[in-house]
Amino acid sequence: MRSDTIKQGVERTPNRAMLRAVGFGDNDFAKPIVGIANSHSTITPCNMGIQPLAERAEQALRQAGVMPQVFGTITVSDGISMGTEGMKYSLVSREVIADSIETVCNGQSLDGVLAIGGCDKNMPGAMIAIARMNIPAVFVYGGTIKPGHYNGKDLTVLSAFEAVGQHSAKKMSDAELLEVERHSCPGAGSCGGMYTANTMSSLFEAMGMSVMHSSTMAAEDEEKAQSTAQSAQVLANAIRNQLLPTQILTRKAFENAIAVLMAVGGSTNAVLHLLAIAHAANVPLTLDDFEAVRKRVPVLCDLKPSGKYVTTDFHNAGGVPQVMKILLNNGALHGDARTITGQTISELLSNVPDQPRTGQDVIHPWNKPLYPKGHLAILRGNLASEGAVAKITGVKKPVMTGPARVFDSEEASLQAILAGKIKAGDVIVIRYEGPKGGPGMREMLAPTSAIIGAGLGDSVGLISDGRFSGGTYGMVVGHVAPEAAVGGTIALVEEGDEITIDAEKLLLRLNVPEEKLAERHRKWQSPRPRYTAGVLAKYAKLVSSSSFGAVTDLHTNGT
């Protein structure tokens, strides 16, 4: 184990002296040293309940015979920064989290790491680091928020965003808007639907990097703390057996994750994050792999944002293990994939019922799915030669052709929507919001929620080189690549151009003659960088296309 360098030899006396100061006794130097990557923060409800979990993990690790060492990492609240310049830092934070965990674990030669995260980028950031370092590791999710309640309805943070659109469309009073805002987020935990945080936690459970049934627990429930202690014990065993992430994060694990992603109706952001994690793990994965799985895996779960139920309902109905058992029984899951426990997926699912229990309709059986194919489609065409990502299930008009309404920033588009300048049949184009152009590839929850709130969700299309929140639904297409900032076709769209979005043919096309597009491209000039110093400037220089996961080390690991 790596901490042997501390345990052996007189020359290591200074190292031991430092460790004595933080609580090591004579008998502790022979024990594995394990990091607890603690993303506790009161800046967001997603992470404000994590400190007690970190303390529970520390206690359990000591009881398991290892020496825990706690260190912090950051978080950015997407929900709070949404619709502002601050949202440009959200995806950047994924890289900062990954780099910080890698730096501490490798800098201190730790023997393993237990990472605890809550908000959206905590999960992929931690898993990217875990894949890079390849030391025994387990991920612990901080837990989902419980739903808020108002007027007999379950509320999530998305309710507040949509209420703004309803209010602007004169469909909601000032008093109602205030009550929705007051009741949407009742306590600790990550956003309550199958949005990005709950999606990624579910996928990590499916990949075998988190313990079974832990990904959908509520942050404030005692079972979450108990699961954290269990995770610590599992990690201690993995260290003793030298069970490494590369043995778990295999091609089969990623295919399992994609299958669960489709079955639960998860976030578009999962595409970006799985590509990035696969890159860190040196596992070949492309956008085409998502499309291949989509064709053979139905949507089984009726979850928000487009469905009825929140994640606590999903948990009570059987959660991820129940979905995985259905997929396994129907040949859509690799049962021989290994997990952090050392057992296979099939072994862990052996006692899970073959069918979802009666009396609930959150999880549907294989032969009665919500939709016969997955919800996340990869669209291509002259507007997205590298690909784009769209949620296509539940869209009433899967084929749409309309005039382009072009905006060079999220703010400009939102202003037009709230002012009533967008009409049925329009196709909104939000560009220069990609990884380089933003920089930071902001999520467009404010515009999409405003469209839904205004009653235009089924009649207006929206395409962007930026991202969409896990709470987004409707005819929206994101991750358009190449992005505008590098001269992608989306940069050449002019107001009133005809655009076709065809979810059936998986097509995204600008209906302008090629010779005219070539002329526009000759005249196009690369915009000046929006930032010339600081983290956003560094990010813009390093970041890859979204079609490769928007990673910042694309050419540094031999790929």
Side-chain angles (χ1 to χ4, degrees), residues 100-136:
S100 66
I101 294 175
E102 176 191 356
T103 299
V104 174
C105 290
N106 282 346
Q108 301 302 136
S109 299
L110 299 183
D111 295 305
V113 62
L114 182 148
I116 313 177
C119 202
D120 292 8
K121 307 309 173 297
N122 298 175
M123 274 72 76
M127 199 57 62
I128 288 169
I130 287 168
R132 287 179 189 169
M133 298 182 299
N134 198 33
I135 59 174

Side-chain angles (χ1 to χ4, degrees), residues 162-180:
E162 292 182 358
V164 171
Q166 292 172 303
H167 182 264
S168 298
K170 312 299 182 187
K171 297 180 179 181
M172 179 177 286
S173 68
D174 292 351
E176 287 177 303
L177 178 62
L178 180 59
E179 289 305 309
V180 170

Side-chain angles (χ1 to χ4, degrees), residues 267-272 275 287 375-381 383-392 427-431 433-435 441-445 448 461-469 472-484 490 501 507-508 545-547:
S267 167
T268 55
N269 284 309
V271 177
L272 192 78
L275 289 171
L287 289 174
H375 64 304
L376 296 183
I378 306 303
L379 275 56
R380 298 184 189 271
L383 257 175
S385 59
E386 290 183 9
V389 182
K391 278 186 181 179
I392 64 172
V427 178
I428 300 170
V429 178
I430 306 177
R431 63 191 181 189
E433 290 286 6
M441 205 179 179
R442 283 192 289 184
E443 292 180 355
M444 304 293 154
L445 182 57
T448 56
L462 191 156
I463 70 170
S464 177
D465 52 9
R467 296 181 296 129
F468 293 116
S469 163
T472 294
Y473 60 101
M475 181 55 92
V476 296
V477 184
H479 307 199
V480 172
E483 63 175 291
I490 192 172
I501 306 172
L507 178 68
L508 184 62
S545 167
S546 59
S547 62

Side-chain angles (χ1 to χ4, degrees), residues 55-341:
E55 293 169 358
R56 188 70 173 266
E58 183 178 16
Q59 178 186 33
L61 285 168
R62 289 186 186 277
Q63 291 173 347
V66 303
M67 289 301 292
Q69 300 292 287
V70 183
F71 64 91
T73 188
I74 68 160
T75 194
V76 170
S77 173
D78 291 6
I80 295 173
S81 65
M82 197 76 70
T84 73
E85 195 80 355
M87 187 65 199
K88 293 181 178 180
Y89 288 86
S90 171
L91 189 58
V92 176
S93 75
R94 185 189 76 178
E95 308 308 303
V96 176
I97 292 165
D99 292 350
S100 66
I101 294 175
E102 176 191 356
T103 299
V104 174
C105 290
N106 282 346
Q108 301 302 136
S109 299
L110 299 183
D111 295 305
V113 62
L114 182 148
I116 313 177
C119 202
D120 292 8
K121 307 309 173 297
N122 298 175
M123 274 72 76
M127 199 57 62
I128 288 169
I130 287 168
R132 287 179 189 169
M133 298 182 299
N134 198 33
I135 59 174
V138 67
F139 183 82
V140 174
Y141 183 39
T144 185
I145 196 171
K146 293 181 179 181
H149 304 283
Y150 176 65
N151 256 353
K153 294 182 179 179
D154 284 345
L155 300 182
T156 69
V157 67
L158 179 60
S159 307
F161 280 93
E162 292 182 358
V164 171
Q166 292 172 303
H167 182 264
S168 298
K170 312 299 182 187
K171 297 180 179 181
M172 179 177 286
S173 68
D174 292 351
E176 287 177 303
L177 178 62
L178 180 59
E179 289 305 309
V180 170
E181 180 239 296
R182 283 173 169 168
H183 293 90
S184 291
C185 297
S190 298
C191 299
M194 190 49 68
Y195 309 149
T196 303
N198 285 321
T199 296
M200 295 310 300
S201 68
S202 297
L203 302 193
F204 289 178
E205 183 175 321
M207 296 171 83
M209 290 302 301
S210 294
V211 298
M212 279 284 178
H213 216 65
S214 66
S215 65
T216 52
M217 293 174 177
E220 297 178 324
D221 286 352
E222 172 59 23
E223 67 174 347
K224 182 74 262 182
Q226 294 172 356
S227 173
T228 301
Q230 179 192 359
S231 299
Q233 294 166 355
V234 165
L235 175 59
N237 289 333
I239 293 171
R240 294 188 181 96
N241 295 321
Q242 279 302 284
L243 179 55
L244 303 177
T246 50
Q247 298 169 275
I248 301 169
L249 294 174
T250 62
R251 171 76 183 195
K252 289 181 178 180
F254 283 95
E255 290 182 353
N256 284 350
I258 298 171
V260 170
L261 170 65
M262 298 298 173
V264 301
S267 167
T268 55
N269 284 309
V271 177
L272 192 78
H273 297 325
L274 287 176
L275 289 171
I277 297 165
H279 169 73
N282 288 310
V283 172
L285 194 73
T286 69
L287 289 174
D288 292 335
D289 294 313
F290 290 83
E291 186 58 32
V293 175
R294 183 187 74 83
K295 292 177 180 177
R296 57 184 173 83
V297 176
V299 178
L300 299 176
C301 300
D302 192 4
L303 298 169
K304 290 180 181 292
S306 57
K308 298 177 186 176
Y309 297 103
V310 296
T311 303
T312 50
D313 298 321
F314 179 45
H315 183 70
N316 293 333
V320 173
Q322 182 63 79
V323 170
M324 292 178 71
K325 186 61 174 284
I326 297 170
L327 295 175
L328 180 66
N329 288 345
N330 289 277
L333 206 70
H334 298 290
D336 58 343
R338 205 171 181 185
T339 74
I340 185 62
T341 65

Side-chain angles (χ1 to χ4, degrees), residues 10 33 112 133 169 175 180 208 226 233 253 340 432 460 474 511 525 531 540:
V10 174
I33 302 175
M133 298 182 299
V180 170
Q226 294 172 356
Q233 294 166 355
I340 185 62
Y432 295 104
V460 167
N511 298 318
Q525 292 184 342
Y531 296 84

Side-chain angles (χ1 to χ4, degrees), residues 356-381:
R357 63 176 173 79
T358 57
Q360 61 82 39
D361 61 347
V362 183
I363 304 173
H364 289 220
W366 180 270
N367 60 352
K368 294 181 180 179
L370 270 78
Y371 304 100
K373 294 182 180 179
H375 64 304
L376 296 183
I378 306 303
L379 275 56
R380 298 184 189 271

